[in-house]
Amino acid sequence: MADLKKLKADILSDGKIDDSEVERIRQELYRDGKIDRDEVEFLIALRNEAREVTPAFETLFFSAIKQNVLMDGSIDAEEAGWLRRMLYADGKIDD
């Protein structure tokens, strides 16, 4: 797995996530073919801390969350609680 702290610092150095950075993130995170909880939380931190993100990042973000949460085909109570905490972390839901 990539060094997520270093990757985050590199990606957010200018405060924006552009298309080339999205591709870099995708390559690093999907290297093993799946997205684990640490990698999803990494994406959440990126999204929360970036001043601006490209639509490609939003697509990657929601796809990764969906893949991780639905890995076993359903959403259990723990996953539902985690999703709620992540989605409402800043007290609001984005469009």
Side-chain angles (χ1 to χ4, degrees):
M1 179 194 313
D3 179 349
L4 297 181
K5 284 186 179 185
K6 181 178 180 340
L7 181 59
K8 181 179 162 191
D10 289 349
I11 297 293
L12 292 178
S13 64
D14 65 355
K16 299 182 226 175
I17 302 174
D18 63 30
D19 289 340
S20 65
E21 291 168 326
V22 171
E23 189 53 38
R24 181 176 171 202
I25 294 165
R26 183 185 326 278
Q27 288 175 3
E28 292 290 338
L29 298 187
Y30 281 96
R31 185 169 287 162
D32 62 357
K34 62 184 189 308
I35 295 288
D36 65 28
R37 181 66 59 91
D38 289 339
E39 291 165 332
V40 169
E41 290 182 1
F42 163 78
L43 289 171
I44 291 167
L46 278 179
R47 188 169 187 262
N48 288 340
E49 294 177 34
R51 288 190 322 268
E52 185 179 319
V53 300
T54 184
F57 179 79
E58 295 289 359
T59 300
L60 171 65
F61 177 82
F62 288 108
S63 176
I65 290 175
K66 180 180 175 182
Q67 179 185 4
N68 178 263
V69 171
L70 293 175
M71 196 174 306
D72 63 357
S74 65
I75 300 174
D76 63 26
E78 187 275 328
E79 290 166 328
W82 176 82
L83 272 173
R84 204 172 294 113
R85 287 188 304 279
M86 294 303 109
L87 293 173
Y88 288 104
D90 62 357
K92 63 183 179 180
I93 294 289
D94 297 336
D95 291 336

